[in-house]
C-alpha cells in the first residue's frame, strides 16, 4: 500500500511539472494563473497522499494550501481591472490603463 | 477490501489529474484549457481524497478530507469563473 501511495505522489508531482511548463510558456496572464491554480490543487493532492503515508496532521496543511490557492487567483483577478472588479461588462478601460498604476 | 478501494480510487484520481494537466498543456484555446483544468482539478482531488479516506483511522480525518474537497470544489468553481472573466477582458483589448 505504501509503495502505491508513493507512486501516486510521484506521478502527481510529474503532473505538477507539466503545469509548470504551462506557467513558463503561457502566452497570456490568465494561462499562467490557471496553471498556478492546478499547481495549488495538485499540491493539495500530494499533501493528502503524504498525510495517509506519514502523519495525518498534514491534512491541515493541505486545507491551508487549498485556501491560499483560491486567494491567489482572486488576487490576480482584482489586479487585472482598474477598479478591481474584474468585470467584463464594465465599459472598455481607456488605452494604457494597465500601467497607470506603475508610472503614474 | 479497503486497500483495494484505495488502489482503485487513487488510480482513478491520478487519471483525472493527468488528463487535466495534458489538457492544460495541449488545448489550443484558453477556455478549453480552463475547462480541462477545472475538470481534472475537482474530480482528481475528489477521487484521491476518497481513496485516502479508506485509509483514515478516525472520524476527524474523514471530516477533514471532506472539508478539503468541498473547499477545493467551491474554490475551483469560482476561480474558474473569475479567471475566465480576466481572460475575456484581455481578449477585447485593442
Amino acid at each position: 500500500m505504501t509503495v502505491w501511495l508513493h507512486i501516486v505522489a510521484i506521478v502527481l508531482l510529474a503532473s505538477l511539472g507539466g503545469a509548470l511548463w504551462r506557467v513558463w510558456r503561457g502566452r497570456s496572464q490568465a494561462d499562467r494563473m490557471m496553471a498556478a491554480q492546478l499547481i495549488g490543487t495538485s499540491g493539495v493532492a500530494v499533501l493528502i497522499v503524504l498525510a495517509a503515508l506519514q502523519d495525518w496532521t498534514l491534512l491541515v496543511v493541505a486545507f491551508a494550501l487549498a485556501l491560499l490557492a483560491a486567494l491567489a487567483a482572486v488576487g490576480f483577478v482584482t489586479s487585472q481591472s482598474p477598479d478591481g472588479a474584474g468585470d467584463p461588462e464594465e465599459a472598455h478601460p481607456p488605452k494604457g490603463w494597465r500601467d497607470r498604476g506603475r508610472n503614474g | 477490501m479497503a486497500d483495494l478501494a484505495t488502489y482503485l480510487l487513487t488510480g482513478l484520481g491520478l487519471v483525472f489529474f493527468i488528463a487535466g494537466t495534458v489538457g492544460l498543456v495541449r488545448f489550443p484555446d484558453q477556455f478549453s484549457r480552463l475547462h480541462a483544468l477545472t475538470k481534472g482539478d475537482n474530480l482528481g482531488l475528489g477521487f484521491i481524497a476518497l481513496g485516502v479516506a479508506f485509509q483514515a483511522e478516525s472520524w476527524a480525518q474523514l471530516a477533514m478530507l471532506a472539508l478539503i474537497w468541498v473547499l477545493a470544489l467551491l474554490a475551483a468553481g469560482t476561480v474558474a469563473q473569475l479567471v475566465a472573466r480576466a481572460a475575456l477582458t484581455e481578449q477585447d483589448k485593442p
Side-chain angles (χ1 to χ4, degrees):
Chain A
M1 172 48 62
T2 56
V3 173
W4 168 250
L5 287 181
H6 280 296
I7 293 170
V8 167
I10 289 167
V11 174
L12 276 174
L13 285 176
S15 82
L16 206 134
L20 276 178
W21 179 80
R22 169 55 63 191
V23 170
W24 172 68
R25 189 187 165 286
R27 260 186 298 279
S28 74
Q29 296 296 352
D31 287 324
R32 292 194 172 94
M33 200 57 230
M34 286 184 225
Q37 164 78 7
L38 182 63
I39 286 168
T41 305
S42 43
V44 170
V46 167
L47 276 171
I48 286 178
V49 169
L50 286 184
L53 277 172
Q54 285 141 9
D55 176 5
W56 282 100
T57 52
L58 276 174
L59 286 181
V60 181
V61 181
F63 184 76
L65 179 58
L67 190 64
L68 292 179
L71 293 183
V74 169
F76 160 72
V77 168
T78 48
S79 70
Q80 279 299 91
S81 69
D83 57 3
D87 191 349
E89 283 85 19
E90 67 190 20
H92 284 304
K95 191 121 198 52
W97 61 273
R98 189 180 284 268
D99 43 25
R100 187 185 313 139
R102 274 194 289 281
N103 43 31
Chain B
M1 182 52 200
D3 283 1
L4 180 66
T6 306
Y7 280 117
L8 291 179
L9 287 171
T10 44
L12 202 56
L14 214 57
V15 166
F16 277 106
F17 254 109
I18 293 169
T21 309
V22 166
L24 185 72
V25 168
R26 295 280 306 169
F27 277 166
D29 174 55
Q30 270 180 6
F31 300 103
S32 54
R33 275 184 215 142
L34 191 61
H35 168 72
L37 152 79
T38 315
K39 197 66 61 238
D41 234 355
N42 295 348
L43 285 174
L45 192 64
F47 276 120
I48 285 182
L50 204 56
V52 167
F54 281 95
Q55 302 293 327
E57 285 106 15
S58 79
W59 284 101
Q61 286 145 14
L62 284 177
M64 196 56 180
L65 276 167
L67 198 63
I68 290 175
W69 188 46
V70 166
L71 172 69
L73 270 180
L74 295 177
T78 48
V79 158
Q81 296 290 335
L82 290 173
V83 171
R85 265 186 178 187
L88 196 66
T89 323
E90 236 167 59
Q91 268 171 348
D92 302 344
K93 283 237 172 2

Short mmCIF file of all heavy atoms in Angstrom, two decimals, chain A residues 37 66, chain B residues 38 41-43 45-46 66-79:
data_model
loop_
_atom_site.label_atom_id
_atom_site.label_comp_id
_atom_site.label_asym_id
_atom_site.label_seq_id
_atom_site.Cartn_x
_atom_site.Cartn_y
_atom_site.Cartn_z
N GLN A 37 -3.29 27.65 -10.46
CA GLN A 37 -4.40 27.02 -9.76
C GLN A 37 -4.23 25.52 -9.75
O GLN A 37 -4.41 24.86 -8.73
CB GLN A 37 -5.70 27.41 -10.47
CG GLN A 37 -6.89 26.57 -10.11
CD GLN A 37 -7.45 26.96 -8.77
OE1 GLN A 37 -7.01 27.93 -8.18
NE2 GLN A 37 -8.38 26.18 -8.26
N ALA A 66 -5.10 24.71 0.02
CA ALA A 66 -6.27 24.85 -0.85
C ALA A 66 -6.85 26.25 -0.71
O ALA A 66 -7.22 26.91 -1.70
CB ALA A 66 -7.31 23.80 -0.48
N THR B 38 -10.16 22.60 -14.70
CA THR B 38 -11.09 22.50 -13.56
C THR B 38 -11.63 21.09 -13.44
O THR B 38 -11.79 20.58 -12.33
CB THR B 38 -12.25 23.49 -13.80
OG1 THR B 38 -11.70 24.73 -14.23
CG2 THR B 38 -13.02 23.72 -12.54
N ASP B 41 -8.98 19.07 -11.89
CA ASP B 41 -8.86 19.58 -10.53
C ASP B 41 -9.84 18.91 -9.58
O ASP B 41 -9.48 18.17 -8.70
CB ASP B 41 -9.27 21.06 -10.62
CG ASP B 41 -8.19 21.93 -10.05
OD1 ASP B 41 -7.22 21.40 -9.52
OD2 ASP B 41 -8.35 23.16 -10.14
N ASN B 42 -11.11 19.16 -9.85
CA ASN B 42 -12.14 18.73 -8.89
C ASN B 42 -12.19 17.22 -8.77
O ASN B 42 -12.08 16.66 -7.69
CB ASN B 42 -13.51 19.25 -9.32
CG ASN B 42 -13.52 20.76 -9.27
OD1 ASN B 42 -12.63 21.35 -8.71
ND2 ASN B 42 -14.53 21.35 -9.88
N LEU B 43 -12.32 16.55 -9.93
CA LEU B 43 -12.55 15.10 -9.87
C LEU B 43 -11.28 14.40 -9.39
O LEU B 43 -11.32 13.51 -8.56
CB LEU B 43 -12.96 14.59 -11.25
CG LEU B 43 -14.39 14.93 -11.62
CD1 LEU B 43 -14.68 14.53 -13.04
CD2 LEU B 43 -15.35 14.27 -10.66
N LEU B 45 -8.92 15.48 -7.41
CA LEU B 45 -8.74 15.66 -5.97
C LEU B 45 -9.81 14.89 -5.22
O LEU B 45 -9.55 14.23 -4.20
CB LEU B 45 -8.84 17.15 -5.63
CG LEU B 45 -8.40 17.53 -4.22
CD1 LEU B 45 -6.94 17.24 -4.04
CD2 LEU B 45 -8.68 18.99 -3.97
N GLY B 46 -11.04 14.88 -5.76
CA GLY B 46 -12.12 14.17 -5.09
C GLY B 46 -11.83 12.69 -4.98
O GLY B 46 -11.94 12.09 -3.92
N ALA B 66 -13.18 15.53 3.77
CA ALA B 66 -14.38 16.04 3.10
C ALA B 66 -14.34 17.56 3.04
O ALA B 66 -14.67 18.18 2.02
CB ALA B 66 -15.62 15.57 3.87
N LEU B 67 -13.85 18.17 4.13
CA LEU B 67 -13.78 19.64 4.17
C LEU B 67 -12.85 20.16 3.09
O LEU B 67 -13.17 21.11 2.36
CB LEU B 67 -13.27 20.05 5.55
CG LEU B 67 -13.51 21.50 5.98
CD1 LEU B 67 -14.99 21.78 6.06
CD2 LEU B 67 -12.83 21.76 7.31
N ILE B 68 -11.69 19.50 2.94
CA ILE B 68 -10.73 19.94 1.92
C ILE B 68 -11.35 19.85 0.54
O ILE B 68 -11.26 20.77 -0.28
CB ILE B 68 -9.45 19.08 2.01
CG1 ILE B 68 -8.69 19.38 3.27
CG2 ILE B 68 -8.58 19.29 0.79
CD1 ILE B 68 -7.50 18.49 3.48
N TRP B 69 -12.04 18.74 0.29
CA TRP B 69 -12.60 18.56 -1.05
C TRP B 69 -13.70 19.59 -1.33
O TRP B 69 -13.75 20.20 -2.40
CB TRP B 69 -13.17 17.14 -1.20
CG TRP B 69 -13.57 16.87 -2.59
CD1 TRP B 69 -12.85 17.15 -3.71
CD2 TRP B 69 -14.81 16.30 -3.04
NE1 TRP B 69 -13.55 16.77 -4.82
CE2 TRP B 69 -14.75 16.25 -4.44
CE3 TRP B 69 -15.94 15.82 -2.40
CZ2 TRP B 69 -15.79 15.75 -5.21
CZ3 TRP B 69 -16.96 15.32 -3.17
CH2 TRP B 69 -16.88 15.29 -4.55
N VAL B 70 -14.55 19.85 -0.33
CA VAL B 70 -15.63 20.84 -0.55
C VAL B 70 -15.02 22.21 -0.80
O VAL B 70 -15.41 22.93 -1.72
CB VAL B 70 -16.58 20.85 0.67
CG1 VAL B 70 -17.47 22.07 0.63
CG2 VAL B 70 -17.40 19.58 0.70
N LEU B 71 -13.98 22.55 -0.03
CA LEU B 71 -13.35 23.86 -0.25
C LEU B 71 -12.74 23.92 -1.63
O LEU B 71 -12.89 24.91 -2.36
CB LEU B 71 -12.25 24.09 0.79
CG LEU B 71 -11.42 25.35 0.53
CD1 LEU B 71 -12.26 26.59 0.77
CD2 LEU B 71 -10.18 25.38 1.38
N ALA B 72 -12.08 22.83 -2.05
CA ALA B 72 -11.45 22.82 -3.37
C ALA B 72 -12.51 22.96 -4.45
O ALA B 72 -12.33 23.67 -5.43
CB ALA B 72 -10.67 21.52 -3.56
N LEU B 73 -13.67 22.31 -4.23
CA LEU B 73 -14.75 22.41 -5.23
C LEU B 73 -15.18 23.86 -5.35
O LEU B 73 -15.20 24.44 -6.44
CB LEU B 73 -15.94 21.56 -4.79
CG LEU B 73 -15.96 20.13 -5.25
CD1 LEU B 73 -17.20 19.44 -4.73
CD2 LEU B 73 -15.91 20.05 -6.76
N LEU B 74 -15.52 24.47 -4.21
CA LEU B 74 -16.02 25.85 -4.25
C LEU B 74 -14.97 26.78 -4.83
O LEU B 74 -15.24 27.60 -5.70
CB LEU B 74 -16.41 26.29 -2.84
CG LEU B 74 -17.57 25.54 -2.20
CD1 LEU B 74 -17.81 26.02 -0.79
CD2 LEU B 74 -18.82 25.70 -3.04
N ALA B 75 -13.73 26.60 -4.37
CA ALA B 75 -12.67 27.50 -4.83
C ALA B 75 -12.46 27.34 -6.33
O ALA B 75 -12.43 28.32 -7.07
CB ALA B 75 -11.38 27.18 -4.08
N ALA B 76 -12.37 26.10 -6.81
CA ALA B 76 -12.07 25.91 -8.24
C ALA B 76 -13.21 26.45 -9.09
O ALA B 76 -12.97 27.08 -10.12
CB ALA B 76 -11.87 24.42 -8.52
N GLY B 77 -14.46 26.25 -8.63
CA GLY B 77 -15.59 26.75 -9.41
C GLY B 77 -15.53 28.26 -9.56
O GLY B 77 -15.53 28.80 -10.67
N THR B 78 -15.41 28.97 -8.43
CA THR B 78 -15.44 30.43 -8.52
C THR B 78 -14.20 30.96 -9.22
O THR B 78 -14.26 31.87 -10.03
CB THR B 78 -15.50 31.02 -7.10
OG1 THR B 78 -14.51 30.36 -6.31
CG2 THR B 78 -16.85 30.79 -6.48
N VAL B 79 -13.05 30.33 -8.92
CA VAL B 79 -11.81 30.83 -9.53
C VAL B 79 -11.86 30.68 -11.04
O VAL B 79 -11.45 31.56 -11.79
CB VAL B 79 -10.61 30.07 -8.94
CG1 VAL B 79 -9.41 30.15 -9.85
CG2 VAL B 79 -10.27 30.64 -7.59
#
